[in-house]
């Protein structure tokens, strides 16, 4: 059980759940300090020995006559700049006289069972009040009547702690909030590697690991979205930590807009971690009586390697972020027409693709771009969410009914946040596109960004989407967003409020999603932002699965999905089997490999089965049946990364059911090595005493044999293929090739006999 142990006399608070401990204290000057964060430790009456004071000749001391107390050398929970601490602050408030100096001091606390929700923002939640405990610590600046409440929620069965802050102006004068971090944590040393997840369109979330050094190392977004280029997550691990052993801290931001995540190492080896809304061009008017809620940040700790830390984040996403009927519901296997047809389709063509997909067991047909307005090319139609009369003269109602009559669900692509100049919406309301008065408007993919900071704009798009979703049986929408914000200016607000645009924009996106889910509770939304450009914890609050990347090449997807899995569970990763040669890379990969990669995600197809051979269609049918058999294991089990694909000729991963009775292992050859060594891969997560049968979807020397869990984890699974030797002829494993793969199916058959 999670608990918050309060020591009134020493003003210490110990958050613990038997897995982790987080200990803070309000000191003699009223400052809230961090004393410890890590593996759970027994409670004691007083942890104040962890606060050390020494005189340093260059220190700026807080109180006259006291040469020991300096904020420069204390590990604070919500630090401020300007009264001795010269590191990055957690908060900056501009006052009417221009001063930015604040002095937040401890005022009070409350402890409550459960977890409060936030208005207008995504946040974690609990299913019952025994699942978590929340500590609220109130800090107060007496001169300004400024109140900051720091929220800490510790979950009973998870190493994850949720952090955020509520900032309230209780004074009589207006203030300007220039910086408001969601989490700040000072660590006592700097012996950490930082791993961030960087990339670009079509190569998202590749891990980049580097040792911390004195100074600031940061990732951020200034694009109006979390972005392809740096995901709002990071690991801080001890050197040598790997997937199965070692200490690590994980940070994740439950927000989909501009962010700042950084580590600052000072001259005395203290590491300050911070994550929050990026303060570049951010300023928020905090009128008397007004409050500002920071988005939520999640922090996790492990002493047992990255896989263990991932399990903590995966569990929180599945149990405490994803909501509604799709939280535990099996996600449908879908087929999307985009790479099969692009804009070249009509109703009969779509139904024919759906019919062939239904025949092999696919459950959902998704109509992608091109169905609406005057969308005869990518320069027109965005903003007009009515059926395209040229392609669909009978509208969507009949198409949806024909798809439903096949026994399939029907889904639809939208890009609600964008507009083309060639659209009825833009012609009627050109002022609704974000622009700076008197300056040219930049475009991306012939698109312009609607001002979702304006409620009137959001209302219009909601009404259009509501009307369409009410007109046909639409079970799923793919929510795309294909460009970032430029010329960011809100013509509905004055100069003093321009710093609020980017945050208000993402609040508008959240509000539209929430309204649609309230109106259509069973709707499945798959978020997409030109692929994986907005893959974050905030989106998962509304969209339980996210298109992982526009790059559907199986080899590239090994890299993308491997990195994504560090913080995000398989059930959140949109993954499809697509056409070959691949449309992003031109690479030719076997159908089995495309499936064996996509299967570790939500799973679907993006092709026309009518263009496959009979043999390939039969293979697709077997793939669908296998996924249906293992879908619960894939989406609810524990995922283990076994062998990373980066700078490697091979990769491997696996997923194990919660009862450890079933497992699926993905084994991938990236590049063939002639006359290669014999190989094996150590499995994880199995029950050591259970006996398992192992079968393989490809040639294998061990298929059909039985092994104990301890053998498979300590000795390893033999996955030698035909490249070990001279292929062909007498080789019992036949042949193999570049980009080959196989799945090992591991099933419990009994308990190991012990003497």
């Amino acid at each position: 059980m999670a608990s918050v142990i309060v020591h009134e006399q020493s003003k210490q608070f110990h958050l613990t759940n038997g897995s982790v401990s987080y200990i803070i204290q309000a000191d003699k000057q009223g400052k809230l300090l961090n004393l410890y964060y890590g593996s759970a430790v027994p409670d004691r009456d007083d942890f104040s020995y962890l606060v050390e004071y020494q005189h340093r000749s260059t220190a700026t001391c807080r109180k006259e006559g006291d040469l020991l107390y300096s904020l420069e050398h204390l590990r604070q929970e919500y630090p401020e700049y300007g009264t001795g601490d010269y590191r990055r602050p957690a908060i900056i408030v501009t006052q009417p006289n221009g001063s930015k100096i604040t002095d937040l001091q401890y005022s009070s606390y409350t402890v409550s069972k459960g977890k409060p929700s936030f208005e207008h923002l995504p946040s974690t939640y609990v299913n019952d009040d025994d699942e978590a405990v929340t500590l609220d610590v109130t800090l107060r600046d007496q001169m300004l009547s400024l109140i900051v409440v720091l929220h800490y929620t510790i979950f009973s069965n998870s190493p994850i702690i949720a952090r955020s802050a509520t900032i309230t102006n209780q004074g009589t004068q207006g203030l300007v909030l220039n910086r408001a971090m969601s989490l700040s944590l000072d660590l006592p040393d700097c012996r950490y590697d930082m791993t961030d997840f960087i990339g670009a369109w079509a190569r998202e979330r590749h891990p980049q690991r580097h040792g911390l050094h004195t100074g600031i190392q940061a990732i951020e977004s200034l694009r109006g979205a979390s972005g392809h280029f740096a995901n709002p997550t990071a690991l801080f691990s001890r050197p040598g930590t790997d997937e199965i052993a070692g200490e690590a801290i994980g940070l994740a931001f439950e927000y989909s807009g501009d962010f700042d995540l950084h580590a600052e190492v000072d001259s005395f080896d203290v590491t300050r971690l911070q994550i929050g809304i990026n303060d570049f061009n951010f300023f928020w008017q905090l009128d008397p009586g007004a409050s500002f809620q920071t988005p939520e940040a999640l922090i996790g700790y492990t002493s047992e390697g990255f896989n263990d830390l991932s399990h903590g984040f995966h569990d929180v996403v599945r149990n405490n972020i994803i909501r509604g009927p799709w939280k535990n519901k099996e996600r449908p296997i879908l087929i999307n027409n985009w790479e099969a047809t692009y804009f070249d389709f009509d109703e009969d063509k779509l139904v024919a693709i759906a019919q062939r997909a239904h025949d092999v067991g696919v459950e959902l047909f998704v109509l992608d771009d091109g169905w609406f307005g005057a969308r005869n090319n990518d320069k027109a139609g965005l903003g007009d969410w009515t059926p395209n009369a040229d392609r669909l003269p009978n509208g969507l109602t009949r198409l949806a009914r024909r798809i439903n009559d096949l026994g399939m669900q029907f889904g639809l692509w939208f890009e609600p946040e964008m507009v083309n100049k060639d659209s009825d919406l833009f012609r009627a309301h050109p002022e609704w596109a974000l622009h700076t008065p008197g300056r040219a408007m930049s475009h991306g993919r012939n698109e312009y960004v609607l001002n979702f900071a304006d409620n009137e704009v959001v209302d219009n798009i909601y009404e259009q989407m509501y009307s369409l979703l009410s007109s046909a049986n639409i079970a799923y929408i793919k929510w795309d967003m294909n460009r970032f914000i430029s010329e960011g200016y809100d013509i509905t607000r004055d100069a003093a409020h321009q710093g609020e645009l980017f945050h208000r924009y993402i609040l508008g996106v959240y509000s539209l999603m929430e309204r649609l889910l309230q109106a259509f509770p069973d709707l499945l939304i798959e978020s997409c932002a030109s692929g994986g450009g907005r893959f974050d914890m905030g989106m998962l609050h509304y969209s339980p699965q996210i298109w992982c990347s526009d790059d559907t090449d199986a080899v590239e997807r090994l890299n993308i999905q491997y990195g994504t899995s560090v913080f995000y569970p398989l059930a959140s990763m949109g993954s499809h089997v697509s056409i070959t040669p691949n449309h992003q890379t031109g690479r030719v990969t076997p159908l089995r490999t495309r499936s064996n990669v996509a299967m570790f995600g939500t799973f679907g197809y993006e092709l026309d089965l009518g263009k496959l051979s009979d043999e390939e269609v039969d293979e697709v049918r077997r793939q669908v049946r296998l996924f249906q058999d293992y879908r619960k294991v894939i989406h609810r089990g524990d995922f283990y990364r076994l062998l990373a694909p980066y700078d490697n000729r091979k990769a491997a991963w696996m997923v194990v059911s919660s009862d450890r009775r079933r497992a699926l292992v993905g084994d991938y050859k990236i590049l063939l090595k002639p006359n290669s060594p014999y190989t094996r891969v150590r499995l994880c997560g199995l029950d050591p005493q259970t006996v398992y049968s192992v079968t393989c979807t490809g040639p294998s020397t061990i298929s059909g044999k039985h092994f104990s869990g301890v053998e498979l984890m300590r000795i390893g699974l033999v996955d030698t293929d035909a490249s070990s030797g001279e292929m062909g002829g007498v080789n019992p494993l036949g042949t193999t090739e570049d980009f080959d793969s196989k799945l090992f199916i591991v099933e419990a058959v009994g308990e190991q006999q012990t003497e």
Side-chain angles (χ1 to χ4, degrees):
M1 287 288 293
S3 63
V4 177
I5 304 168
V6 179
H7 297 283
E8 298 279 0
Q9 186 171 0
S10 60
K11 297 179 182 177
Q12 292 177 5
F13 307 90
H14 182 181
L15 293 83
T16 187
N17 59 8
S19 173
V20 297
S21 285
Y22 194 106
I23 305 171
I24 56 180
Q25 174 185 6
D27 73 2
K28 59 186 179 182
Q29 296 283 336
K31 292 302 179 183
L32 195 63
L33 307 182
N34 183 275
L35 305 187
Y36 174 77
Y37 175 52
S39 292
V41 296
D43 191 52
R44 57 181 291 149
D45 291 339
D46 190 359
F47 286 97
S48 59
Y49 74 92
L50 294 169
V51 183
E52 298 180 85
Y53 304 99
Q54 295 290 338
H55 172 56
R56 300 181 189 274
S57 60
T58 59
T60 300
C61 297
R62 182 172 169 82
K63 187 176 180 180
E64 189 171 351
D66 185 347
L67 295 178
L68 300 182
Y69 190 98
S70 172
L71 294 176
E72 186 174 1
H73 311 303
L74 293 175
R75 294 187 287 114
Q76 301 164 70
E77 282 292 282
Y78 213 66
E80 304 149 276
Y81 176 84
T83 59
D85 188 345
Y86 299 100
R87 297 164 290 180
R88 291 283 180 93
I91 185 170
I92 301 175
V93 178
T94 302
Q95 297 135 55
N97 65 359
S99 171
K100 292 182 171 65
I101 301 300
T102 55
D103 185 12
L104 293 168
Q105 297 186 31
Y106 171 77
S107 175
S108 62
Y109 77 91
T110 61
V111 176
S112 57
K113 296 178 68 174
K115 168 72 167 57
S117 60
F118 300 148
E119 189 176 7
H120 309 308
L121 276 171
S123 64
T124 52
Y125 66 93
V126 294
N127 302 283
D128 62 71
D129 284 347
D130 289 332
E131 196 175 347
V133 178
T134 297
L135 168 69
D136 293 334
V137 178
T138 299
L139 310 177
R140 181 182 181 90
D141 183 297
Q142 189 66 34
M143 178 180 289
L144 299 179
S145 294
L146 178 71
I147 303 296
V148 176
V149 180
L150 301 181
H151 308 287
Y152 303 78
T153 296
I154 183 166
F155 296 90
S156 293
N157 299 310
S158 171
I160 309 302
I161 293 174
R163 292 275 310 272
S164 66
T166 304
I167 302 161
T168 303
N169 180 2
Q170 292 187 345
T172 58
Q173 294 182 301
L175 304 172
V176 178
L177 188 61
N178 298 105
R179 182 176 176 86
M181 291 289 99
S182 297
L183 175 150
S184 186
L185 174 65
D186 289 351
L187 301 173
D189 65 76
C190 64
R191 295 187 301 276
Y192 290 93
D193 292 338
M194 178 178 180
T195 303
D196 40 50
F197 298 85
I198 51 86
W201 175 82
R203 50 180 175 85
E204 297 90 342
R205 291 174 300 284
H206 287 216
Q208 171 182 261
R209 184 169 180 171
H210 49 91
L212 292 184
H213 56 78
T214 302
I216 294 172
Q217 31 263 281
I219 55 173
E220 65 176 1
S221 174
L222 298 173
R223 300 169 182 271
S226 48
H228 306 81
F229 303 89
N231 194 258
T233 55
L235 297 172
F236 297 89
S237 57
R238 296 301 190 185
T241 296
D242 58 22
E243 296 288 3
I244 60 174
E247 282 189 290
I249 293 170
L251 286 185
F253 199 25
E254 204 171 340
Y255 186 66
S256 309
D258 289 350
F259 71 91
D260 167 20
L261 189 163
H262 69 265
E264 179 178 7
V265 179
D266 70 12
S267 298
F268 304 100
D269 289 349
V270 170
T271 300
R272 174 166 291 175
L273 306 181
Q274 290 186 341
I275 189 168
I277 294 174
N278 200 312
D279 65 359
F280 181 84
N281 202 32
F282 170 84
F283 47 95
W284 191 274
Q285 296 297 318
L286 204 61
D287 296 329
S291 294
F292 182 85
Q293 175 63 53
T294 71
E296 192 166 76
L298 304 176
I299 185 167
Y301 171 84
T302 185
S303 60
E304 298 180 13
F306 298 131
N307 274 322
D308 183 68
L309 185 62
S310 293
H311 297 161
F313 279 99
H314 293 179
D315 287 345
V316 163
V317 169
R318 289 183 299 215
N319 299 327
N320 307 105
I321 292 180
I322 293 174
R323 305 172 294 158
W326 291 103
K327 174 178 177 176
N328 296 312
K329 195 174 179 180
E330 292 186 1
R331 310 290 166 73
I333 303 170
L334 67 82
I335 188 161
N336 184 296
N337 75 298
W338 180 240
E339 290 191 8
T341 68
Y342 293 102
F343 290 133
D344 181 20
F345 63 82
D346 59 24
E347 182 179 305
D348 288 340
K349 190 173 186 177
L350 296 174
V351 173
I353 292 172
Q355 177 67 70
R356 286 187 286 267
H358 174 262
D359 290 344
V360 299
V362 174
E363 300 151 343
L364 166 67
F365 175 82
V366 178
L367 173 55
D368 210 283
D369 194 359
W371 60 265
F372 54 90
R375 191 67 164 177
N376 297 314
N377 54 57
D378 66 1
K379 296 181 180 179
L382 286 175
D384 299 339
W385 300 109
T386 56
N388 183 301
D390 293 333
R391 292 197 182 92
L392 300 172
N394 299 307
L396 284 173
T397 305
R398 193 174 94 161
L399 174 60
R401 185 171 61 250
R402 291 181 69 184
I403 298 297
N404 293 158
D405 287 345
L406 296 175
M408 301 180 75
Q409 295 176 301
F410 178 64
L412 206 56
W413 179 95
F414 284 92
E415 193 171 2
E417 301 163 59
M418 303 299 155
V419 67
N420 292 126
K421 285 188 174 181
D422 185 3
S423 68
D424 292 341
L425 184 70
F426 186 87
R427 283 184 283 270
H429 293 286
E431 75 280 5
W432 282 0
L434 282 173
H435 66 284
T436 300
R439 298 193 180 276
M441 296 170 63
S442 303
H443 75 89
R445 294 172 44 141
N446 305 304
E447 300 177 7
Y448 300 85
V449 184
L450 288 170
N451 182 8
F452 265 50
D454 181 354
N455 291 335
E456 188 178 3
V457 175
V458 176
D459 288 344
N460 178 279
I461 300 301
Y462 171 76
E463 289 162 6
Q464 289 195 62
M465 294 181 72
Y466 178 87
S467 177
L468 194 77
L469 293 171
S470 300
S471 71
N473 186 19
I474 299 169
Y476 159 107
I477 63 174
K478 181 178 178 181
W479 183 303
D480 214 341
M481 190 280 289
N482 281 309
R483 64 153 297 189
F484 299 115
I485 293 175
S486 61
E487 289 79 50
Y489 185 88
D490 184 357
I491 66 169
T492 70
R493 292 180 170 85
D494 61 20
H497 291 83
Q498 290 306 313
E500 302 173 7
L501 168 66
F502 284 82
H503 184 55
R504 289 191 183 277
Y505 177 93
I506 205 65
L507 292 180
V509 174
Y510 290 153
S511 72
L512 178 56
M513 286 184 159
E514 185 66 29
R515 290 169 69 181
L516 289 170
L517 290 171
Q518 291 296 323
F520 305 98
D522 294 323
L523 184 68
L524 173 58
I525 299 177
E526 178 164 335
S527 176
C528 175
S530 199
R534 206 158 58 186
F535 204 122
D536 56 69
M537 300 289 183
M539 270 298 139
L540 288 171
H541 190 74
Y542 309 93
S543 167
Q545 59 192 56
I546 301 175
W547 184 226
C548 216
S549 175
D550 278 346
D551 190 340
T552 57
D553 175 73
V555 177
E556 293 301 316
R557 273 302 189 103
L558 285 172
N559 298 313
I560 295 166
Q561 291 175 212
Y562 199 98
T564 303
S565 74
V566 173
F567 284 91
Y568 305 101
L570 300 185
S572 70
M573 297 186 206
S575 52
H576 295 173
V577 178
S578 67
I579 291 169
T580 190
N582 180 263
H583 285 193
Q584 289 78 50
T585 65
R587 185 179 283 126
V588 176
T589 54
L591 178 59
R592 60 183 173 275
T593 294
R594 285 175 272 154
S595 171
N596 290 345
V597 175
M599 197 166 291
F600 290 85
T602 59
F603 198 57
Y605 291 84
E606 197 149 337
L607 44 75
D608 183 352
L609 272 69
K611 297 179 180 178
L612 301 184
S613 68
D614 290 344
E615 182 182 24
E616 289 174 319
V617 171
D618 286 341
E619 184 176 346
V620 169
R621 185 177 287 106
R622 290 191 295 271
Q623 293 167 359
V624 169
R625 287 174 180 168
L626 179 63
F627 181 79
Q628 288 171 330
D629 189 22
Y630 277 84
R631 178 160 39 191
K632 286 185 179 179
V633 177
I634 293 167
H635 289 172
R636 301 299 299 179
D638 292 327
F639 182 69
Y640 292 87
R641 294 173 298 275
L642 304 177
L643 181 62
Y646 313 105
D647 301 319
N648 206 336
R649 288 176 178 260
K650 292 189 65 177
W653 54 41
M654 67 181 291
V655 63
V656 185
S657 63
S658 57
D659 63 4
R660 299 196 287 179
R661 304 289 293 175
R662 310 182 82 195
L664 195 65
V665 182
D667 191 73
Y668 308 96
K669 177 186 293 296
I670 299 172
L671 289 177
L672 186 146
K673 183 177 183 178
N675 199 20
S676 66
Y678 299 124
T679 58
R680 63 178 75 152
V681 58
R682 288 186 179 183
L683 304 190
C684 293
L686 302 176
D687 179 16
Q689 300 305 317
T690 295
V691 176
Y692 296 91
S693 70
V694 175
T695 57
C696 185
T697 59
S700 169
T701 61
I702 63 167
S703 191
K705 292 182 169 55
H706 292 179
F707 305 92
S708 68
V710 72
E711 283 181 88
L712 293 171
M713 292 189 291
R714 293 183 181 176
I715 298 175
L717 178 100
V718 173
D719 68 338
T720 300
D721 62 29
S723 64
S724 297
E726 184 177 350
M727 287 193 294
V730 298
N731 194 324
L733 292 174
T735 61
T736 185
E737 59 186 319
D738 287 344
F739 321 128
D740 205 353
S741 68
K742 52 199 170 195
L743 298 179
F744 289 93
I745 299 166
V746 182
E747 294 275 358
V749 293
E751 302 302 315
Q752 184 178 14
Q753 298 298 315
T754 57
E755 294 183 3

